[in-house]
């Protein structure tokens, strides 16, 4: 899943700091955000204060934001300041003095924007409107057609400000509500494009790298099947400093590459190599290998499954030092 932040025209006069989104100061070692979720749109007023303490929650997850220089992606996503690890994706935001940017992702698609897409500038005050776009960006869908290109346009407005009470009872002041509309025009050279429109309402609190509340509606039309989806998430807690590595210690991140190849990423304090074994859906051992340590606490491995039959495979990683075992699955097409 892609998580980007995104408009409309409700003008409210402002000027005070409490009505402005400023560049956040994120922990130098990264931060883990715990979030609560439910799969629907959020009902709310465009003016605060906002009280969501009675809202139903049906899921939870974590998001890890790590300085890009501390990740295996530092040499690739040169416009990003951080890597944002989700459940099954990595995105590459920029928290620059000039603004908040989006620079691509590695998920069910692989994209790397040559110039940053500015979602909104810093500072960004209530009543302000910003728009930007990047065009003809090549991207790859593993196992998909060649020569794919994307136009990504966004219009963002800071709508209002006030206090917010989250489902867990936490209340925050000086929160700014933004509305954005992002349009993704994805197509293959010489073919009609798929057009996806994502409307996102997001509540931004000072010095938190993700919205403390966010709800979006996404609709796809054109060359792709007509699909709509809705999603809402709430900030619930954060873990700072060195403890942020606990997020990736819990998760083996799998990124799909082209031709049934996969990149496996894991953070661990282990001083020993990590053992990897691959099994088919019948539990038969297919192969075994070790991870490579690419930097402090970071391990990676490229798994080539191009010669395997189509199906579901289990990947097990054993950390001998801590005697922990992590298991994920990949789908070979």
């Amino acid at each position: 899943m892609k998580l980007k932040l995104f408009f409309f025209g409700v003008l409210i006069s402002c000027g005070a700091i409490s009505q402005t989104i400023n560049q956040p100061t994120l922990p130098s070692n990264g931060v883990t955000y715990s979030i609560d979720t439910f799969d629907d749109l959020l009902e709310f007023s465009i003016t605060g204060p906002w009280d969501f303490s009675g809202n139903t929650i049906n899921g939870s997850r974590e998001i890890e934001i790590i300085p890009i220089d501390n990740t295996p992606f530092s040499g690739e996503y040169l416009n990003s300041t951080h890597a944002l690890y989700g459940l099954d994706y990595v995105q590459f935001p920029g928290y620059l003095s000039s603004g908040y940017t989006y620079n691509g992702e590695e998920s069910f698609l692989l994209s790397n924007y040559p110039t940053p897409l500015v979602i909104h500038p810093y500072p960004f005050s209530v009543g302000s409107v910003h728009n930007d776009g990047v065009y003809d960006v090549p991207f790859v869908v593993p196992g998909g057609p060649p020569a794919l290109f994307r136009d990504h346009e966004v219009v963002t407005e800071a709508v209002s400000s006030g206090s917010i009470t989250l489902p867990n009872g936490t209340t925050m002041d000086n929160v700014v509500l933004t509305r954005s509309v992002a349009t993704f025009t994805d197509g293959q050279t010489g073919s009609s494009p798929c057009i996806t429109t994502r409307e996102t309402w997001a509540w931004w609190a000072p010095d938190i790298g993700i919205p403390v509340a966010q709800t979006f509606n996404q609709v796809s039309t054109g060359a792709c099947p007509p699909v709509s989806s809705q999603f809402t998430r709430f900030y619930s807690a954060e873990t700072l400093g060195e403890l942020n590595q606990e997020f990736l210690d819990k998760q083996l991140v799998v990124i799909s590459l082209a031709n049934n190849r996969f990149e496996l990423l894991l953070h661990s304090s282990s001083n020993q190599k990590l053992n990897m074994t691959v099994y088919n859906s019948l539990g038969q051992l297919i192969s075994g290998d070790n991870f490579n340590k690419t930097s402090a606490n970071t391990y990676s491995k490229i798994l080539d499954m191009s010669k395997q039959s189509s199906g579901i495979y289990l990947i097990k990683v054993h950390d001998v030092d801590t005697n922990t075992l992590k298991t994920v699955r990949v789908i070979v097409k």
Side-chain angles (χ1 to χ4, degrees):
M1 184 187 85
K2 301 185 292 185
L3 295 177
K4 303 173 205 62
L5 312 173
F6 314 99
F7 147 121
F8 199 45
V10 179
L11 298 177
I12 300 177
S13 62
C14 75
I17 293 177
S18 63
Q19 295 177 303
T20 301
I21 304 174
N22 293 291
Q23 180 188 17
T25 300
L26 299 179
S28 59
N29 291 318
V31 58
T32 298
Y33 295 117
S34 300
I35 59 174
D36 295 324
T37 65
F38 71 93
D39 299 328
D40 205 345
L41 286 172
L42 184 64
E43 294 184 3
F44 62 94
S45 167
I46 62 171
T47 59
W50 298 279
D51 186 353
F52 300 121
S53 59
N55 281 69
T56 300
I57 298 301
N58 59 20
S60 63
R61 61 186 64 179
E62 290 181 324
I63 291 175
E64 172 84 353
I65 298 181
I66 302 175
I68 193 72
D69 290 340
N70 296 343
T71 75
F73 305 105
S74 58
E76 300 176 62
Y77 292 87
L78 303 180
N79 296 317
S80 297
T81 62
H82 291 75
L84 186 155
Y85 290 81
L87 185 62
D88 53 3
Y89 63 90
V90 185
Q91 292 182 345
F92 300 95
Y95 299 92
L96 307 173
S97 60
S98 57
Y100 174 69
T101 69
Y102 173 79
N103 301 281
E105 68 185 83
E106 297 198 2
S107 58
F108 71 92
L109 64 82
L110 309 176
S111 65
N112 190 341
Y113 288 14
T115 58
L117 176 73
V118 179
I119 305 302
H120 58 70
Y122 295 127
F124 194 51
S125 299
V126 172
S128 298
V129 178
H130 170 80
N131 62 81
D132 196 13
V134 294
Y135 302 93
D136 295 323
V137 177
F139 70 95
V140 174
V141 175
L148 296 173
F149 293 88
R150 161 171 287 184
D151 294 345
H152 184 173
E153 300 171 297
V154 63
V155 183
T156 306
E157 180 179 6
V159 176
S160 59
S161 66
S163 64
I164 187 172
T165 302
L166 302 173
N168 66 358
T170 301
T171 297
M172 297 180 176
D173 297 320
N174 301 329
V175 173
V176 177
L177 171 63
T178 64
R179 182 182 185 237
S180 301
V181 167
T183 304
F184 306 90
T185 303
D186 298 333
Q188 185 180 22
T189 301
S191 301
S192 298
C194 170
I195 299 174
T196 300
T197 302
R198 173 180 293 156
E199 177 191 46
T200 302
W201 294 85
W203 287 257
W204 293 90
D207 284 336
I208 297 180
I210 62 172
V212 295
Q214 183 180 34
T215 189
F216 74 77
N217 181 51
Q218 179 170 298
V219 178
S220 296
T221 60
C224 51
V227 175
S228 66
S229 60
Q230 297 78 35
F231 185 75
T232 296
R233 70 182 191 184
F234 296 100
Y235 166 102
S236 61
E238 65 184 61
T239 305
L240 307 177
E242 295 297 336
L243 293 177
N244 76 304
Q245 295 300 337
E246 293 179 2
F247 170 74
L248 288 180
D249 283 345
K250 297 175 185 175
Q251 298 212 27
L252 176 61
V253 177
V254 180
I255 300 169
S256 296
L257 306 176
N259 300 320
N260 285 319
R261 296 168 66 248
F262 304 88
E263 182 176 12
L264 310 178
L265 299 173
L266 183 69
H267 279 220
S268 174
S269 59
S270 174
N271 291 317
Q272 300 187 32
K273 287 187 175 181
L274 306 182
N275 300 322
M276 179 189 71
T277 49
V278 181
Y279 299 85
N280 63 18
S281 58
L282 299 177
Q284 299 169 325
L285 178 65
I286 300 299
S287 64
D289 206 343
N290 294 321
F291 271 56
N292 300 312
K293 194 168 187 177
T294 58
S295 62
N297 298 332
T298 301
Y299 291 78
S300 70
K301 179 67 181 177
I302 300 297
L303 177 63
D304 187 351
M305 300 289 286
S306 59
K307 296 181 180 179
Q308 301 298 329
S309 302
S310 299
I312 298 174
Y313 294 80
L314 295 180
I315 315 298
K316 295 187 177 183
V317 177
H318 182 212
D319 187 334
V320 178
D321 198 21
T322 61
N323 195 28
T324 57
L325 183 68
K326 308 176 192 303
T327 303
V328 295
R329 71 174 186 173
V330 298
I331 300 176
V332 175
K333 299 178 180 180

